[in-house]
Amino acid sequence: MMSYQHKFNARYVYMLCLAAAAGGFMFGYSEGVIAATLESIQKVFGLNSMETGWAVSSVIFGGVIGALTAGKMADKTGRKPVMLVSAVLFVVTSYLSAVADSFVLFTSARLICGIAVGLAATVTPMYISEISPAKMRGKATGTYDLSIVAGVLAVFTVNYLIARGMPQAWMVETGWRIMMAVQLVPSLAMLVLIILVPESPHWCIRHNRGEQAIKVLSRIYPEFNQEEARQLFQLPSSAAKKSTTARKGVMPENPVLRYILVVGVAIAVLQQFTGINVINYYTPMMLEGTTSNKDIIFFETIFVALLNGIGAFIGMHLFDHYGRLPIMKIGTVGAITGLLIASWGLYTNDVGYIAISGILIFTLFFGMGWGAGAWVMISEIFPDRIRESSMGLAVGLMWVSNFLITLVFPIVNDNVWLQEQFHGAFSMWIFVVFNAFCYWFLSRYVPETRGVALEDIEKVAEAKMLKNTLSVQTEKV
């Protein structure tokens, strides 16, 4: 770590993080808006079950495309242009989805919206981690996950206010279009904010744009001077040579880079296997056991997003003090506890307060652990020479996992025999097992990255890999 990095302008860093995190807000908002509009869309376009599934999953499919293409785009053009493209796509698709007069146009808009989400989900946390000093990177990167939750919370609240007290006929004719159109407000705000943020100095250094990098680094680090700049700009030539060999294929030849790639991608995928998206999807159904009033159900779902946000806020403030791994482990144990409570409510046919309490406990601890932690880890664990491609692969496979779990879960959950025997609890138990595996994976393979400069991540990962190798050899003996 260079000497200038010991003192930094935290306020300026947070301003940049919050501006960039508008992409995360749109991520959450765009995904959440379909929940309250789906019933109306089904009636307007006369959808069958397969078409209904595509109306929901088209965003996920687009997210895979966006994530897998974001890495190369961010490497060639920079982080800011990719975020700008994402913002423009959000604006255009918000309008098109609101005025769509056919199912084809609507789902096309949603698919392109998914591409925007995939671009933002890949590049935004990458950008935030690169502008953040090591000592505050956990809290800074945590703003991205918090912004996703804020987007979900905002859309649930807005949709509740739009739908409150309105007849179903109005929702089918007008209400769902208003819900879709409201996306224009945060989309335009994101576009303005991204125009104002500077390019990542990390990318500028690698692409011989010294003046741009110095301008940003001087604002982040008050002690940054010409001597520090001279030392810093001597690095790209050697790094470029390494990156050429590292990026020949999907899987790097270097064993340490392979280890990091596998661990980073696994963190992204395992976040989906905690069960968070399934909980979000089935929460309205579970809440129907407490009331038949849909206004109340819409209102109660706000608290699910709120607890997720509170958890994320707690996690991002603890990561830099106690480390990523301890907080993620505590979050995993809490998530398991919540799932067990929710499953007990389902198993005993008490789908009221016991099930709700379990869901809220799970959501709180997920937000604190894997919700915020996974985004922090995958944004910082990949070394510079494989950063763009690895981040794109990780987020892309995260979306693939999301798609597969969303597709398979209803099949398991709706199995007649399993429902008769366990009343929906069996599916919760599956996710308990997955969360237990997540805990083991964290303990065994994931390196602690608290306070580690991005250029030193590779050394920390190598030490963890060697420790695991020695453990395996000892176990064999």
Side-chain angles (χ1 to χ4, degrees):
M1 184 182 292
M2 296 187 177
S3 60
Y4 69 86
Q5 292 179 331
H6 293 290
K7 185 178 180 181
F8 49 84
N9 184 348
R11 180 179 296 181
Y12 180 64
V13 173
Y14 280 129
M15 285 175 58
L16 294 182
C17 290
L18 290 172
F25 185 92
M26 284 307 304
F27 178 159
Y29 202 103
S30 298
E31 270 207 312
V33 72
I34 195 69
T37 60
L38 188 58
E39 186 178 350
S40 298
I41 291 167
Q42 284 177 305
K43 294 179 179 180
V44 169
F45 298 121
L47 306 184
N48 57 36
S49 57
M50 185 176 294
E51 289 170 332
T52 300
W54 178 238
V56 176
S57 60
S58 54
V59 167
I60 301 174
F61 188 79
V64 175
I65 297 173
L68 293 179
T69 57
K72 288 186 178 179
M73 289 176 62
D75 186 25
K76 291 182 179 180
T77 66
R79 286 40 168 155
K80 180 174 179 176
V82 179
M83 292 191 289
L84 278 173
V85 169
S86 176
V88 171
L89 291 180
F90 278 129
V91 172
V92 173
T93 57
S94 296
Y95 173 77
L96 290 178
S97 60
V99 301
D101 58 359
S102 70
F103 180 63
V104 172
L105 179 58
F106 177 80
T107 52
S108 297
R110 293 293 290 168
L111 188 146
I112 297 171
C113 178
I115 294 175
V117 170
L119 293 174
T122 304
V123 178
T124 301
M126 187 192 306
Y127 176 86
I128 293 174
S129 70
E130 290 175 352
I131 63 169
S132 304
K135 290 183 178 180
M136 62 174 290
R137 197 169 59 238
K139 190 183 296 184
T141 310
T143 59
Y144 178 72
D145 178 63
L146 192 61
S147 70
I148 296 175
V149 179
V152 175
L153 180 60
V155 73
F156 283 177
T157 304
V158 169
N159 288 350
Y160 164 72
L161 293 174
I162 293 173
R164 184 178 58 177
M166 303 304 294
Q168 183 62 34
W170 181 84
M171 283 296 300
V172 173
E173 182 180 349
T174 306
W176 73 273
R177 294 187 184 276
I178 294 176
M179 290 178 178
M180 288 291 175
V182 171
Q183 292 180 98
L184 277 167
V185 176
S187 298
L188 289 169
M190 176 187 174
L191 181 60
V192 173
L193 289 171
I194 299 303
I195 289 173
L196 297 176
V197 300
E199 181 55 80
S200 161
H202 194 82
W203 183 86
C204 290
I205 290 169
R206 285 176 43 210
H207 290 78
N208 300 317
R209 300 192 181 185
E211 290 186 7
Q212 280 184 262
I214 290 172
K215 186 176 180 180
V216 181
L217 289 172
S218 298
R219 293 203 64 182
I220 296 175
Y221 303 102
E223 296 179 357
F224 186 77
N225 54 50
Q226 293 300 318
E227 177 58 26
E228 298 283 7
R230 187 185 65 78
Q231 295 178 27
L232 199 59
F233 298 132
Q234 286 177 349
L235 300 177
S237 58
S238 59
K241 292 178 182 177
K242 291 181 180 179
S243 65
T244 302
T245 57
R247 292 174 184 161
K248 286 182 179 178
V250 175
M251 186 63 69
E253 296 178 4
N254 184 304
V256 179
L257 294 182
R258 282 202 304 270
Y259 181 85
I260 293 171
L261 178 61
V262 171
V263 169
V265 169
I267 290 170
V269 171
L270 286 175
Q271 189 205 50
Q272 298 302 302
F273 279 86
T274 58
I276 181 59
N277 285 320
V278 169
I279 289 292
N280 285 338
Y281 182 78
Y282 277 90
T283 292
M285 179 195 72
M286 295 176 181
L287 294 180
E288 285 178 2
T290 62
T291 178
S292 58
N293 188 318
K294 287 192 174 182
D295 284 355
I296 294 177
I297 292 174
F298 272 129
F299 182 71
E300 288 178 334
T301 56
I302 294 173
F303 288 93
V304 176
L306 181 62
L307 265 291
N308 195 343
I310 292 172
F313 185 78
I314 294 171
M316 62 183 278
H317 279 79
L318 296 179
F319 287 142
D320 289 324
H321 291 287
Y322 302 102
R324 282 62 162 148
L325 296 184
I327 304 306
M328 288 183 73
K329 288 178 181 178
I330 293 171
T332 307
V333 172
I336 290 173
T337 303
L339 286 171
L340 289 173
I341 293 172
S343 67
W344 178 253
L346 292 172
Y347 185 70
T348 59
N349 280 320
D350 184 349
V351 292
Y353 293 110
I354 293 180
I356 293 172
S357 298
I359 291 170
L360 294 178
I361 291 170
F362 167 83
T363 306
L364 174 69
F365 280 96
F366 166 82
M368 187 181 80
W370 280 86
W375 286 109
V376 171
M377 292 294 293
I378 65 174
S379 69
E380 67 186 2
I381 197 171
F382 300 119
D384 180 61
R385 42 187 173 149
I386 61 168
R387 175 176 293 274
E388 293 90 354
S389 58
S390 300
M391 188 72 181
L393 181 63
V395 177
L397 290 180
M398 176 189 284
W399 280 91
V400 170
S401 303
N402 183 0
F403 180 80
L404 292 176
I405 292 170
T406 304
L407 187 68
V408 172
F409 178 79
I411 299 173
V412 176
N413 195 64
D414 294 341
N415 181 278
V416 176
W417 186 84
L418 290 176
Q419 279 292 335
E420 290 177 351
Q421 298 297 317
F422 306 109
H423 316 296
F426 184 81
S427 301
M428 297 293 104
W429 296 336
I430 291 176
F431 287 112
V432 168
V433 174
F434 281 137
N435 275 274
F437 177 82
C438 289
Y439 186 95
W440 173 82
F441 182 82
L442 285 172
S443 303
R444 185 67 182 259
Y445 294 107
V446 180
E448 177 58 70
T449 53
R450 177 175 72 97
V452 180
L454 291 179
E455 56 266 27
D456 295 328
I457 292 290
E458 198 170 331
K459 297 177 184 177
V460 175
E462 183 176 13
K464 185 71 173 181
M465 184 185 74
L466 292 174
K467 183 179 178 181
N468 284 326
T469 303
L470 290 173
S471 298
V472 171
Q473 291 175 348
T474 302
E475 290 171 4
K476 288 182 178 180
V477 174

